[in-house]
Amino acid sequence: MNTPEVKPISLLQDLIELTQKLRGKDGCPWDKEQSHISLKPHLIEEAYEVIDAIDSGDPSKLKEELADLFFHIIFHCQIAREKGQFDIGGVITLCLDKMTRRHPHVFGDATATTPDEVIHQWEEIKKKEKGYEERKSVVDGLPKYLPALQKAQKVQKKVAKVGFDWTNINDVIAKVDEELAEVKEAIREKKPEHIEEEVGDLLFSMVNLSRFLKLDTENVLHKTIYKFVDRFKKVEAELASMGKDIEACTLEEMDAVWNKIKVKDKKT
């Protein structure tokens, strides 16, 4: 499918001017009130909507959500420009410089023939860059607001790079079993703080198992959540077709329908 030719430079300038007008004297009351801090939850929401669009497989939806996310970048640049800090030109210049510097195998004389070699080279270059030289520990630099599952997987990858990792999957599974046993023991002891700690350890070990299996833990859990939601809706529909109110049903009744639908889903 052919896409119409566009002039990105001209369109970018139009968008910058639009943002300036929104923030200007006669602009939008809401836009004029915003700051980097007030926009944080909206930025996170837009990023996740991009992920949803990717998962949907719908190019038009992805295009729309990328537009929303792109506007946030322009918006943040405009706020910074008003404060005399930086502007979109500075951001683009920094991006060009960083991507060129971190791909010496493309724009320089370095050699990297596999994705793993590229990642290793990337990390080594980052260590020499401004802002990264202060990181003394392998596990420094974790994004504060990264979702917990992603953060766990990221820290595990970091320590694995220096050899702090299991050598085979049986050891990983044994660790999961060990942590589960400790959760059971904590429950028997009836100490809330101990239970919380051990459940955390169990979750961390499950993330490690997913990582060892080369699975994205966040994505795996999302899929399970959506599967649960879809199946529960089917339970609601099935009970409704039987003339039953789900809120009046017993657990046994709901569980029987759940198992029936589960078997049906596995056959399809």
Side-chain angles (χ1 to χ4, degrees):
M1 180 176 119
N2 294 325
T3 55
E5 185 177 347
V6 295
K7 298 177 181 178
I9 301 301
S10 175
L11 292 175
L12 178 59
Q13 185 58 42
D14 289 344
L15 185 56
I16 292 170
E17 291 175 3
L18 179 147
T19 309
Q20 290 172 348
K21 186 171 182 178
L22 289 174
R23 296 273 298 175
K25 181 180 177 182
D26 299 320
C28 171
W30 187 89
D31 289 291
K32 288 191 291 184
E33 281 189 354
Q34 302 313 305
S35 66
H36 293 308
I37 293 175
S38 70
L39 289 171
K40 280 166 54 177
H42 303 290
L43 178 60
I44 292 171
E45 181 180 340
E46 294 298 350
Y48 279 119
E49 288 180 356
V50 170
I51 300 300
D52 285 344
I54 292 172
D55 289 344
S56 76
D58 184 344
S60 62
K61 186 175 181 182
L62 176 58
K63 178 182 177 182
E64 179 181 350
E65 297 304 339
L66 284 173
D68 292 343
L69 183 59
F70 187 70
F71 182 72
H72 267 268
I73 295 172
I74 301 298
F75 206 132
H76 278 283
C77 288
Q78 176 59 27
I79 293 172
R81 179 176 178 273
E82 292 166 7
K83 295 181 178 181
Q85 298 169 335
F86 60 83
D87 60 12
I88 185 64
V91 171
I92 293 174
T93 299
L94 181 60
C95 184
L96 284 168
D97 177 64
K98 183 182 289 187
M99 291 303 106
T100 301
R101 186 172 62 254
R102 292 187 182 179
H103 290 83
H105 53 293
V106 177
F107 304 108
D109 300 325
T111 301
T113 57
T114 67
D116 286 343
E117 288 177 357
V118 171
I119 292 172
H120 176 73
Q121 180 179 253
W122 179 284
E123 294 295 333
E124 289 301 310
I125 293 171
K126 277 176 63 175
K127 289 177 183 178
K128 301 173 184 177
E129 293 177 348
K130 184 179 179 181
Y132 289 90
E133 68 274 7
E134 296 179 359
R135 297 182 181 181
K136 305 301 181 183
S137 170
V138 171
V139 292
D140 281 343
L142 288 171
K144 183 179 178 181
Y145 292 103
L146 198 65
L149 289 177
Q150 289 184 342
K151 189 178 290 186
Q153 194 149 0
K154 191 174 184 68
V155 73
Q156 290 168 2
K157 286 181 179 179
K158 281 176 173 286
V159 299
K161 289 176 183 176
V162 295
F164 193 74
D165 199 9
W166 304 105
T167 56
N168 66 78
I169 195 168
N170 290 329
D171 291 336
V172 183
I173 293 172
K175 184 62 176 176
V176 172
D177 290 339
E178 175 188 325
E179 296 298 349
L180 179 57
E182 290 179 1
V183 168
K184 293 177 180 179
E185 178 61 27
I187 292 172
R188 283 193 291 270
E189 292 176 353
K190 298 181 180 180
K191 294 181 178 180
E193 290 184 4
H194 192 196
I195 293 172
E196 180 182 36
E197 179 183 354
E198 296 303 340
V199 169
D201 290 345
L202 176 61
L203 287 172
F204 194 79
S205 67
M206 286 302 302
V207 172
N208 214 10
L209 177 61
S210 296
R211 179 190 62 83
F212 206 86
L213 292 169
K214 301 188 183 305
L215 298 172
D216 183 302
T217 317
E218 193 81 24
N219 189 47
V220 167
L221 185 55
H222 271 294
K223 286 183 176 180
T224 297
I225 292 169
Y226 289 132
K227 181 176 68 175
F228 177 89
V229 169
D230 178 67
R231 193 169 290 168
F232 191 81
K233 287 180 178 179
K234 291 177 181 177
V235 170
E236 290 177 313
E238 180 73 14
L239 288 170
S241 70
M242 298 164 61
K244 294 183 178 181
D245 179 357
I246 192 169
E247 294 186 10
C249 290
T250 64
L251 175 59
E252 289 73 17
E253 288 176 300
M254 289 187 283
D255 203 37
V257 175
W258 175 277
N259 290 329
K260 175 183 174 182
I261 291 171
K262 183 177 179 180
V263 170
K264 188 183 298 184
D265 285 347
K266 287 185 176 181
K267 290 181 179 179
T268 57

